Amino acid sequence: MISATSPFSLNIPGIARYASAGSATSSEKTDSPDAAKSANTSAAEKKPAAAKAASGEFSADELREITTLKNTDSKVRSHEAAHMAAAGGLSHSGASYEYTTGPDGKRYAVGGEVSIDTSSGRTPEETLRKAEQIRGAALAPADPSGQDLQVAAQAAQMAMRARAEIAAESFAQAKAKSADSAYKSAADNFASSNKPRLSVEA
C-alpha cells in the first residue's frame, strides 16, 4: 500500500492485510493477538516447530496454513512491487513489510507499504506531473486497497488544483498580452492621427 509523506497530506500507513482467518502463526510488527502470543512463547515451545520444519512433518492444517502464507507473501510482494515500479523517484526508502512466522519456521510477508513524496512541485506544471504519477502509483496494483484509493483521490485533488493554477496563469498572461496589444494599437493610432500634414494648393 502507498503511504503518503508530505507536510500537508495524511499519513496513510500499511496495506491491506492478507493473513488468513484463524491463523495460529505469530506476527511481527502487527497489533494482532498473535504478536502478543508470540512474545510470550518460550524457547521450549518453539523447539517442536523447529523439529517439524527439519523433518518436514506437518499436519494437514499446518500444510494448508503454509500454503496460504506462501500465497499471501506472493500477493503482498507483488502489490508493493507494482507501487514501487509506478512511483519511480517519488519513493526513496523502498517497500517495508510486516511478517508472520509459519509452522515451518519461515517468515512470510502479510502486509507492507511504500512511502512516497506527495509534496507540491516548484511550479503548477511540475505539481500536475507529480500528482498524475502519485495517482498512477496508488492504483498500480491489480487490487488497490482502500488506503491506496484514498491516496489516489488526494492526488486527483492535487492535480485539479494544479490545473486551476495553470489555467489562471494562462488567463493572466493572455489578458496582459491583449492589454499590451491594445495599448500599442492605440498608441500607433494616436501617433498616426497627429502627424503633420502638408497641404499644397494649386
Side-chain angles (χ1 to χ4, degrees):
M1 176 153 307
I2 286 287
S3 173
T5 56
S6 158
F8 59 85
S9 69
L10 296 174
N11 183 24
I12 301 176
I15 73 160
R17 302 296 181 261
Y18 295 98
S20 60
S23 171
T25 58
S26 62
S27 292
E28 303 170 17
K29 299 182 181 178
T30 67
D31 296 325
S32 69
D34 289 335
K37 186 177 179 181
S38 175
N40 296 325
T41 302
S42 67
E45 291 173 319
K46 291 180 180 179
K47 283 183 180 179
K52 283 185 179 181
S55 63
E57 297 176 1
F58 299 104
S59 68
D61 286 343
E62 288 172 331
L63 287 173
R64 281 194 294 271
E65 186 176 353
I66 292 169
T67 299
T68 298
L69 286 172
K70 286 180 179 179
N71 291 336
T72 296
D73 184 275
S74 178
K75 287 180 182 179
V76 169
R77 293 182 188 280
S78 294
H79 187 108
E80 301 311 324
H83 283 317
M84 287 291 297
L90 295 181
S91 177
H92 305 295
S93 59
S96 60
Y97 296 96
E98 293 179 5
Y99 296 90
T100 194
T101 302
D104 54 358
K106 295 180 181 179
R107 297 168 75 235
Y108 297 94
V110 293
E113 69 176 27
V114 172
S115 297
I116 62 173
D117 173 23
T118 59
S119 61
S120 298
R122 290 167 293 183
T123 65
E125 289 78 10
E126 184 179 335
T127 297
L128 178 58
R129 287 193 295 272
K130 285 186 70 173
E132 290 174 342
Q133 187 174 0
I134 291 165
R135 185 173 183 276
L139 300 178
D143 56 342
S145 67
Q147 299 290 351
D148 293 336
L149 296 177
Q150 273 190 311
V151 174
Q154 288 181 348
Q157 292 177 352
M158 183 179 177
M160 187 166 48
R161 289 193 297 268
R163 288 191 184 96
E165 289 181 28
I166 292 170
E169 287 183 2
S170 297
F171 177 77
Q173 290 173 359
K175 189 175 181 181
K177 186 176 180 180
S178 178
D180 184 62
S181 179
Y183 175 81
K184 184 177 180 182
S185 178
D188 289 344
N189 290 338
F190 178 80
S192 177
S193 64
N194 285 280
K195 284 182 178 179
R197 297 179 180 177
L198 180 62
S199 178
V200 179
E201 296 182 2

